[in-house]
Amino acid sequence: MNSEKLKEMFYKYNLVKDVDIFKHQHYTILTRSGIEKIQAHEKINVIFEVVKCEQNFAGIKAIATKDDKSIQTYGSALKGDFKNGNCNSWYVLEMAEKRALARSILKLLNLYQINVKSEDEADEFKLTKK
């Protein structure tokens, strides 16, 4: 069932394997370009609000709207190592925004239900170049 929906998504949004989408051990991962292709195709409007912004932490609220459907979700970034942070970049506000955007698109289109995640959600989801 999920594989059929994944295949539909792949073709509907003209996603390119290993550029826009790739397989993780347990998930299908969308890259930043994949998220933006889907957002453009679906004409999803996203508005951001800064919830908190400090030197090592940022939280962003995203409100995504398509037609008459709207959701809100959050993205955060805490500078630190894998034990006490979720981001190894100093640009925590931008990372929080990327995560909020990805989460809002995935939630609005119910893609979490078919086990799709965004590479921006966790460093472990990043595509490693061989």
Side-chain angles (χ1 to χ4, degrees):
M1 172 99 161
N2 282 354
S3 61
E4 286 178 29
K5 290 181 180 181
L6 287 169
K7 191 181 284 187
E8 286 175 26
M9 178 185 75
F10 190 84
Y11 290 109
K12 178 179 183 179
Y13 301 120
N14 197 28
L15 301 174
V16 177
K17 184 179 179 186
D18 294 333
V19 173
D20 301 316
I21 193 169
F22 63 95
K23 289 296 289 176
H24 179 269
Q25 184 178 0
H26 304 288
Y27 312 103
T28 297
I29 306 294
L30 281 169
T31 64
R32 178 69 173 190
S33 63
I35 292 289
E36 291 189 4
K37 280 183 181 180
I38 292 170
Q39 180 185 15
H41 184 273
E42 293 290 342
K43 297 179 175 67
I44 298 171
N45 183 47
V46 181
I47 297 170
F48 301 100
E49 295 176 18
V50 176
V51 175
K52 191 167 201 166
C53 185
E54 298 174 347
Q55 181 178 353
N56 294 329
F57 175 79
I60 298 284
K61 177 168 76 170
I63 302 167
T65 306
K66 175 183 170 33
D67 302 324
D68 62 344
K69 185 177 179 184
S70 180
I71 63 98
Q72 86 176 24
T73 191
Y74 298 85
S76 65
L78 174 62
K79 171 75 172 124
D81 61 23
F82 70 95
K83 290 182 181 178
N84 51 1
N86 66 4
C87 172
N88 58 14
S89 302
W90 283 107
Y91 45 95
V92 292
L93 183 63
E94 293 85 346
M95 286 303 300
E97 179 191 45
K98 287 170 55 172
R99 290 173 177 171
L101 173 69
R103 287 178 48 78
S104 68
I105 301 302
L106 294 172
K107 284 183 75 164
L108 188 68
L109 298 176
N110 299 315
L111 295 176
Y112 281 118
Q113 293 176 1
I114 60 171
N115 222 16
V116 174
K117 309 280 187 192
S118 161
E119 73 173 339
D120 292 324
E121 291 183 85
D123 287 341
E124 71 182 79
F125 292 168
K126 298 289 183 193
L127 178 62
T128 54
K129 306 291 182 197
K130 295 182 179 169

